[in-house]
Amino acid sequence: MIKLERISTPIKLTPAFATTQTAEFIANETNVWNVDWLKESLLELSYGKCAYCECDLKEEAKYMEVEHFEDKANNPNKVLEWDNLLPACKRCNGSKSTHDVISEPIVNPFIDTPSTHLTLRLYRFKSKDVKGKNTIDVVDLNHTERAVKKRFEVGEQLEKTIEKAFERLELYEANTITQRRNKLLSIVEDILLECQKESIYSATCSTILHSSDVYSEIRQKMQTHGIWSKELETLHNDSAKLVI
Ligand SMILES: [Zn+2]
């Protein structure tokens, strides 16, 4: 989970539209939020990922659901309130269901900084406080199959790529020819791009990256050799903000 920023209300979500469609929901329980432009606007906020678990929602658009932070059954007047809507996957949305976020608050990634309440150890979220614990339990963030296993797969792949980058560093140090330098730069850039807010499971990847002694050595040696560019440093610093 990463911190997200909410941009202004979509143009089509006018007060008149919200009023008539909210009344329609209250009268007939119509899925008034289930419209393409609204879903697309929400997807833009989260870089096409689930706001809770960071799985890819672009791959299977049908898998995306409009999540009502204050649940629609108990808060029907907020069914089209922009600040109450989040892009979520079917599984996170289903797990959270009609949980009352007022009496038992959970992390809202548009309001809270997830790392204040949660941390990651061995691909499992750990709570730092009651809000973090509620979030893990309510959204089921440590479900073995759908969450922990996915983070493990992505994390293991990243660890392997970091090791490969270290091998390229050694090759470069043995002979500092341009070809070897470029291959090293390319793999390090790829690693850092996997740890940006636009990438799936970016909190997991960033946390692994910034706790990796191997990556730390690669960066330090590349700096010593004068081949750690400003661009790489920017990507490094941006990913550090996602560590959980
Ligand atoms: Zn999810």
Side-chain angles (χ1 to χ4, degrees), residues 41-104:
S41 300
L42 284 169
L43 276 178
E44 276 178 36
L45 300 181
S46 65
Y47 316 100
K49 298 181 287 180
C50 170
Y52 294 117
C53 75
E54 281 202 274
C55 76
D56 192 356
L57 294 175
K58 290 181 305 241
E59 234 173 43
E60 295 177 74
K62 59 177 191 250
Y63 205 57
M64 182 227 165
E65 293 193 346
V66 176
E67 183 339 63
H68 295 85
F69 193 68
E70 288 186 45
D71 79 282
K72 57 188 179 291
N74 296 304
N75 306 278
N77 287 322
K78 295 192 173 183
V79 77
L80 280 176
E81 192 175 290
W82 180 235
D83 288 348
N84 193 42
L85 308 179
L86 283 82
C89 72
K90 209 180 181 70
R91 293 166 301 207
C92 288
N93 194 23
S95 298
K96 183 174 160 285
S97 186
T98 55
H99 174 76
D100 182 354
V101 295
I102 303 301
S103 64
E104 279 188 298

Side-chain angles (χ1 to χ4, degrees), residues 123 145 148-158:
Y123 305 106
E145 278 299 313
V148 180
K149 227 174 160 179
K150 293 277 178 200
R151 292 194 289 266
F152 173 79
E153 284 166 11
V154 170
E156 280 299 290
Q157 192 55 53
L158 184 69

Side-chain angles (χ1 to χ4, degrees), residues 17 42 80 85 87 91 98 102 106 163 183 193 219 236:
F17 178 87
L42 284 169
L80 280 176
L85 308 179
R91 293 166 301 207
T98 55
I102 303 301
I106 67 166
E163 280 171 23
K183 279 195 169 180
L193 287 175
R219 178 167 168 261
H236 171 88

